[in-house]
Amino acid sequence: MLHSMSTTVEAVSERSAAEVNEEIRALWLRSGGTLTTEQRAEYQRLVLEWAAAAPRSRPHRAA
């Protein structure tokens, strides 16, 4: 049986983008700049959470 992957980003929590960003920074600091396979998976999850929490900017219109 084949399963399709979702293409939508769902927020894992109600944290703000700034809170998730702090966790991303802490992960990089703990890793010493080189992520293990497990840390890369955590980083990817955090980036998706950050993207879902980040405020959307409105596109600029040309006058």
Side-chain angles (χ1 to χ4, degrees):
M1 173 184 231
L2 295 175
H3 297 282
S4 63
M5 290 183 63
S6 174
T7 58
T8 60
V9 176
E10 297 178 23
V12 175
S13 71
E14 296 297 319
R15 297 189 297 170
S16 71
E19 290 171 310
V20 179
N21 189 43
E22 284 301 315
E23 189 170 340
I24 291 169
R25 289 174 184 266
L27 174 63
W28 278 107
L29 285 173
R30 284 192 313 272
S31 74
T34 303
L35 299 176
T36 65
T37 301
E38 293 82 17
Q39 289 170 323
R40 276 194 299 268
E42 175 71 1
Y43 174 75
Q44 290 174 345
R45 183 192 65 75
L46 288 168
V47 168
L48 290 175
E49 183 180 352
W50 174 85
R56 305 284 185 247
S57 63
R58 294 176 23 183
H60 296 283
R61 293 182 149 181

